[in-house]
């Protein structure tokens, strides 16, 4: 007899920033079979799926009881009796029930909670780990992008660029790569304390240091000093999430860095100079999120550097297609809650691969202890994952990847230098 969804329940839980978020549980044939927590962005792209928040006084307006209610009262009755392994069918049903372009009706936080919980339930019903259930050929272990210096909206410093990252592409495996990144982090800790005092090693939302730096040179020079001192300079390349929409002056139409106004051309020049000086492997959202043309110009100029669209594409097929047409960026950031269902996010990744783009699986700045993105990074054979630095809602994902590596045994391949297109 085919398995059936017999119960579904959403509740409000708390994320790593102390904001409420949605958790969904699913029962199959009377047995508890899957749970998913919904992550939340802060440095969000404007084309993301709508996140339903309650407003009002309770929890500073951040409550998610409306989204919980949508799951328990609107979605649940439609899902009871369905096959838990029918991911595409259920996700299509969620889109239909919502009936909008951007999940404004049910809330992307309601739909992705159900969709992710269903993926877990489908895996359990099939007797497989999540990564293998999504893709029976899952075997690539991603290179971690560890963001050691944080700025932008994820900190309280004045650093314009959001993330300065190291990527251990020369490591033997993920665990060895993690060791390199954290050893670099220990050295960076001491360098920052020496120059800025001990308060400067407080961390931002994703667990990287948030020192009182500005611009691009000061953080890059400090990070490079730590890398040199670690002895791993030949094994790493640098990454960056510029999150440029957030230091773009939307009224004046200029970029603003260290008090200076910059044109698009000047910002592009800045990246060209940076890449001439340092081995840069990846730059995310180098320009503001509406400038597809600028992204295309930059992608062409910085041949060999991965240009990732996060706010630019929001894991949405429609905007990825728009980018691919003109060669804007050459990789997508993959965050399933940006679009609102697992199937839409998997389709976005598939389209990106077909177009020759890379896929970088990513955390949100607001996470929980749910480690599903670790499994998805392997399921997609993505070759790269960005999931922060310290604190358990970040390291939990790395720990899950260490377990998956062990489980895959000799089949596991660390993406290393091939992180952009590992297969
Ligand atoms: P967010 O930021 O999760 O707050 O949107 C992370 C990122 O920009 O990559
Ligand atoms: Zn980003």
């Amino acid at each position: 007899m085919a398995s059936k969804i017999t119960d579904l329940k959403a509740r409000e839980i708390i994320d790593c920033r102390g904001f409420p978020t949605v958790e969904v549980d699913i029962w199959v044939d009377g047995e508890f079979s899957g749970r998913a927590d919904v992550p939340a962005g802060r440095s969000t792209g404007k084309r993301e799926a709508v996140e339903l928040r309650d407003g009002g006084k309770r929890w500073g307006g951040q409550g998610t009881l409306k989204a919980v209610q949508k799951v328990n009262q609107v979605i649940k009755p439609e899902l009871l009796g369905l096959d838990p392994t029918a991911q595409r069918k259920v996700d299509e049903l969620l889109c239909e029930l919502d009936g909008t372009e951007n999940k404004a009706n049910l809330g992307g936080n309601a739909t992705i909670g159900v969709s992710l919980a269903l993926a877990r339930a489908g895996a359990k019903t099939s007797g497989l780990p999540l990564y293998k259930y999504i893709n029976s050929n899952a075997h690539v272990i991603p290179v971690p992008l560890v963001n050691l210096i944080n700025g932008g909206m994820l900190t309280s410093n004045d650093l314009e660029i959001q993330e300065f990252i190291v990527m251990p592409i020369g490591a033997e495996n993920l665990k060895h790569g993690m060791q390199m990144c954290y050893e670099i982090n220990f050295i960076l800790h001491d360098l920052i304390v020496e120059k800025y005092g001990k308060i400067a090693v407080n961390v931002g939302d994703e667990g990287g240091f948030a020192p009182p730096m500005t611009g691009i040179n000061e953080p890059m020079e400090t990070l490079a000093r730590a890398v040199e001192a670690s002895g791993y300079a030949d094994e790493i390349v640098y990454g960056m999430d510029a999150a440029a929409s957030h230091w773009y002056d939307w009224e004046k139409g200029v970029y603003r860095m260290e008090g200076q106004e910059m044109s698009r051309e000047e910002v592009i020049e800045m990246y060209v100079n940076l890449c001439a000086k340092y081995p840069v492997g990846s730059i995310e959202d180098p320009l503001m999120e509406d400038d597809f043309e600028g992204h295309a110009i930059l992608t062409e100029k910085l041949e060999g550097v991965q240009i990732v669209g996060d706010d630019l594409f929001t894991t949405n097929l429609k905007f990825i297609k728009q980018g691919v047409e003109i060669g804007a960026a050459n990789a997508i950031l993959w965050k399933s809650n940006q679009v609102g269902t697992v199937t839409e996010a998997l389709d976005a990744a598939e389209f990106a691969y077909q177009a020759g783009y890379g896929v970088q699986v990513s955390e949100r700045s607001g996470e929980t202890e749910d480690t599903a993105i670790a499994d998805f990074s392997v399921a997609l054979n993505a070759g790269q994952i960005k999931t922060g630095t310290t604190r358990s809602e970040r390291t939990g994902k790395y720990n899950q990847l260490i377990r998956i590596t062990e489980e895959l045994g000799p089949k596991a391949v660390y993406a290393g230098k091939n992180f952009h297109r590992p297969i």
Side-chain angles (χ1 to χ4, degrees), residues 43 162-163 241-243 284-285 310-311 333 335 338 362 386:
S43 156
Q162 187 175 288
E163 299 164 21
D241 179 3
E284 178 186 332
D285 285 347
D310 172 14
D311 295 348
L333 202 72
K335 295 166 163 172
Q338 282 185 323
S362 173
K386 188 177 81 153

Side-chain angles (χ1 to χ4, degrees), residues 17 40-45 48 153-154 162-163 205-206 241 243 246 284-285 310-311 333 335 337-338 362-366 386 394:
R17 282 192 281 241
R42 175 172 270 169
S43 156
T44 50
E48 293 194 24
M153 298 186 82
L154 309 184
Q162 187 175 288
E163 299 164 21
D205 282 355
E206 293 174 354
D241 179 3
H246 303 293
E284 178 186 332
D285 285 347
D310 172 14
D311 295 348
L333 202 72
K335 295 166 163 172
N337 77 319
Q338 282 185 323
S362 173
E363 69 194 329
R364 300 308 308 244
S365 54
K386 188 177 81 153
R394 316 287 151 190

